[in-house]
Amino acid sequence: GSLVYTDPTNENVKTLVYVPKGITEKYTIPYAVTHIPEELFSSSKLKELTIPSTVTFIGAKAFSSSSITKFNFEKAPEGTAEVELTFGGKKNSNGDTVYQTFSWCDFTEITLPARMKNFHADIFYSCSDLKAVHIEGEGLYTSTDDGIVCETIVENGAATNNKRIIYYPIAKEGAFTIP
């Protein structure tokens, strides 16, 4: 089976550290896991991955070059508050922070949860087949009906009704009119 590490200094932090490479179809991350470390699923042969609502952190290049074409982000159980999801970055040799969470993946669309605390365009670095990014629910980040990611503009600590486009999928075809 898989291996989960519980941080001895904070037992609320549970990191998935190993998933057998022999699993190639579907895999559901165990409920209560809070962290997916960098490159854990890199080059994985999995086709479908379910991520529980307990996950609060996904490391840089966590799914880089994987065969995963379907990501299922579960919602929090009824009566339970959603927890924020952070995409982690790491410094490259130039000192720049890179995220590249889904880099070099071949899926054409993905649905992310609105509970994201941060969104960086380079999480989809070199995803040359990506046509649409959907964001399920309401939050700081939303998506248009055709899969373009927008960020709600915050002024003086309060959300406004204004949004800005922050990601346009590289393989998106056709014309787009800015509303």
Side-chain angles (χ1 to χ4, degrees):
S2 52
L3 182 60
V4 176
Y5 170 78
T6 301
D7 186 332
T9 62
N10 183 350
E11 63 186 41
N12 292 323
V13 176
K14 299 184 183 333
T15 303
L16 181 63
V17 293
Y18 174 76
V19 176
K21 297 289 184 193
I23 300 174
T24 59
E25 291 302 315
K26 296 180 180 180
Y27 179 73
T28 299
I29 293 173
Y31 191 80
V33 165
T34 59
H35 288 63
I36 300 171
E38 64 183 55
E39 299 185 26
L40 180 67
F41 290 96
S42 181
S43 300
S44 169
K45 300 301 179 206
L46 280 172
K47 302 289 185 246
E48 184 175 338
L49 181 66
T50 299
I51 301 170
S53 61
T54 55
V55 171
T56 59
F57 178 85
I58 299 176
K61 299 182 180 182
F63 309 110
S64 178
S65 300
S66 74
S67 297
I68 303 169
T69 55
K70 183 169 174 82
F71 292 87
N72 303 307
F73 286 87
E74 293 182 330
K75 293 180 181 179
E78 193 170 324
T80 305
E82 291 279 358
V83 292
E84 287 186 327
L85 173 62
T86 299
F87 290 108
K90 72 177 192 177
K91 299 280 185 193
N92 65 13
S93 60
N94 296 329
D96 299 321
T97 301
V98 295
Y99 297 87
Q100 301 179 0
T101 311
F102 304 97
S103 61
W104 303 100
C105 289
D106 293 330
F107 51 82
T108 57
E109 64 181 87
I110 187 170
T111 300
L112 298 172
R115 63 188 181 95
M116 292 180 295
K117 182 178 179 179
N118 62 342
F119 180 94
H120 303 274
D122 89 328
I123 68 173
F124 298 116
Y125 178 79
S126 287
C127 290
S128 58
D129 296 331
L130 186 59
K131 294 180 180 182
V133 177
H134 303 285
I135 298 177
E136 187 173 41
E138 289 297 318
L140 180 60
Y141 304 101
T142 58
S143 59
T144 63
D145 290 340
D146 53 353
I148 297 166
V149 179
C150 300
E151 176 182 35
T152 300
I153 297 173
V154 176
E155 293 177 353
N156 300 321
T160 67
N161 289 328
N162 300 320
K163 298 186 184 298
R164 71 176 133 238
I165 295 171
I166 59 170
Y167 183 72
Y168 189 91
I170 194 168
K172 184 152 209 51
E173 298 172 343
F176 175 71
T177 302
I178 298 174

